[in-house]
Amino acid sequence: MREPVRVAITGAAGQIGYSLLFRLASGEVFGADTPVELNLVELPAAAKVAEGTAMELEDCAFKTLKKITIHDTPEKGFEGVNWALLVGSKPRGPGMERNDLIRDNGHIFVGQGKALARAASNVNVVVVGNPCNTNALIAQHNCRDIAPTRFTAMTMLDENRAKYQLAKKAGVDVREVQNLAIWGNHSSTMVPDFENATIGGRRVTDVITDRAWLEGEFFTTVQKRGAAIIAARGKSSAASAAGACIDQIKNLLRKTPAGEWFSMAVASDGNAYDVPAGLIFSFPVRSLGDGKGYEIVKDVKLSDFAKKKIGETTKELLEEREVVKNMLVK
Ligand code: NAX
């Protein structure tokens, strides 16, 4: 058996937490010979529910699950963790403006960034709680002891959604769709880049020649999929979000094959695609396969259509950064 991997999950008693924890514990992600320790981090009011989930985890008798602990402060919950999956945040209430939500949730990530700086050093941070790009920006700014590259926000769900829509339209298996980059914000301005994606090794635009569908229905279906799920299910995406989080971790753990990429929101270095330095922006990235290193793919050719859309999502992220500027440590 190897050294245990320690994983903290905030919002562990929530919907996504309930789908995520069992897969993390099962050996599927870190391997059959790697013990996993799970730190369930919750608000005091949800601690009882987290206890119930922990009981079910025990009842699965996973061979790789070494330890489960429950914490009601991030300082304790993040102690010595290798992965911090920041899922917990406040949902948008009726009549609440987006900027109010950004400000309200921002405070959570100020505290969690500071707690990470005190409690962990060798840690990958994956922010799922919305607005995930800006929450990751806040956590990263409040945790200057850990390299900014270790802070990521999740756009893998958007990539998976986009891949499935293209596969369905083309009548092929979803595995045929590759290199589908999501650019920008995890919001309705995100850019699902069909122009650089392939289906069975051919350009998407050669396989699906209905350009109006690609620029119209495809785009809006992906951008508004979260809202469509809420309208249908009465609750937001949970199992698919947990699955995407698992996919992102797996992508970071394996070297991305040459010529391929996946989507992840990471700090821009300011040297590509006119994205200002520091913004947590979804790019096509390649993992170096050591579990922490990755590079932004910088030679993707963008059409005028894509550049315009990427400009819009960049503008939105800059506006979000302005809303939370008081929470960002210089
Ligand atoms: P739930 O409301 O089911 O669960 C959230 C949990 O977080 C609750 O148990 C709550 O007690 C806990 N929580 C709140 N503040 C906390 C804090 N400061 N510390 C620890 N725990 C805290 O939400 P769920 O459906 O699980 O969604 C969680 C977040 O994921 C939401 O912000 C949601 O918008 C976001 N999503 C992000 C997605 C993405 O692709 N990046 C997609 C799915 C999802 O919409």
Side-chain angles (χ1 to χ4, degrees):
M1 277 292 203
R2 299 186 182 179
E3 276 290 290
V5 173
R6 296 187 179 83
V7 189
I9 303 95
T10 71
Q15 300 196 87
I16 295 175
Y18 191 74
S19 288
L20 188 55
L21 287 162
F22 296 85
R23 295 184 66 184
L24 292 167
S26 71
E28 173 197 345
V29 184
F30 301 106
D33 55 354
T34 304
V36 178
E37 296 184 6
L38 295 176
N39 293 10
L40 279 48
V41 185
E42 257 298 349
L43 297 175
K48 193 83 193 148
V49 179
E51 273 172 36
T53 306
M55 286 158 69
E56 282 202 75
L57 280 160
E58 290 173 354
D59 294 350
C60 289
F62 290 120
K63 292 183 182 58
T64 40
L65 182 56
K66 192 173 158 61
K67 196 170 163 188
I68 315 166
T69 51
I70 300 171
H71 307 269
D72 60 11
T73 65
E75 283 79 7
K76 282 270 173 236
F78 293 162
E79 219 163 83
V81 295
N82 309 109
W83 292 84
L85 312 180
L86 307 186
V87 180
S89 65
K90 189 173 160 179
R92 188 159 162 176
M96 197 175 183
E97 293 296 327
R98 184 174 167 86
N99 283 353
D100 295 334
L101 179 78
I102 291 173
R103 268 188 290 266
D104 272 16
N105 276 326
H107 292 290
I108 297 175
F109 293 85
V110 170
Q112 293 184 351
K114 288 181 177 160
L116 276 166
R118 283 194 287 271
S121 52
N122 181 19
V123 60
N124 289 317
V125 184
V126 181
V127 179
V128 176
N130 279 323
C132 62
N133 299 56
T134 295
N135 289 340
L137 179 78
I138 296 168
Q140 184 253 308
H141 270 259
N142 285 279
C143 184
R144 285 308 173 105
D145 301 353
I146 295 173
T149 52
R150 305 293 291 272
F151 287 79
T152 66
M154 187 179 93
T155 51
M156 182 53 65
L157 178 57
D158 309 307
E159 174 179 327
N160 287 343
R161 287 167 169 168
K163 279 179 163 169
Y164 191 82
Q165 293 303 318
L166 291 177
K168 193 160 80 170
K169 181 78 173 174
V172 300
D173 191 287
V174 74
R175 79 182 68 185
E176 300 281 320
V177 185
Q178 285 196 309
N179 288 5
L180 189 298
I182 299 293
W183 298 84
N185 202 2
H186 169 70
S187 76
S188 58
T189 66
M190 77 178 77
V191 182
D193 182 4
F194 60 83
E195 292 173 313
N196 287 293
T198 57
I199 297 178
R202 297 168 63 204
R203 295 162 72 98
V204 165
T205 45
D206 291 341
V207 179
I208 301 171
T209 52
D210 184 351
R211 179 91 196 179
W213 180 83
L214 287 166
E215 287 188 13
E217 195 180 326
F218 165 71
F219 237 72
T220 48
T221 299
V222 178
Q223 289 174 326
K224 297 188 176 159
R225 187 69 164 181
I229 302 273
I230 294 173
R233 220 171 78 86
K235 291 178 185 170
S236 58
S237 324
S240 55
C245 185
I246 298 283
D247 287 346
Q248 180 177 324
I249 299 170
K250 286 181 178 171
N251 277 332
L252 280 167
L253 291 172
R254 71 162 197 155
K255 188 173 185 335
T256 310
E260 292 184 17
W261 58 67
F262 63 95
S263 310
M264 190 163 73
V266 301
S268 168
D269 60 12
N271 294 325
Y273 310 115
D274 294 329
V275 180
L279 274 194
I280 303 279
F281 194 93
S282 183
F283 290 106
V285 298
R286 279 192 201 108
S287 167
L288 306 183
D290 59 2
K292 56 185 180 186
Y294 57 82
E295 59 188 15
I296 297 169
V297 182
K298 294 207 167 150
D299 54 359
V300 176
K301 293 211 165 41
L302 297 173
S303 67
D304 289 342
F305 168 77
K307 282 183 190 159
K308 179 170 172 282
K309 296 282 182 191
I310 289 173
E312 287 165 13
T313 196
T314 305
K315 182 168 170 281
E316 183 182 57
L317 278 168
L318 285 170
E319 285 163 7
E320 289 188 12
R321 183 162 79 176
E322 189 59 25
V323 173
V324 301
K325 65 180 177 203
N326 295 337
M327 299 180 202
L328 303 180
V329 179
K330 292 275 184 296

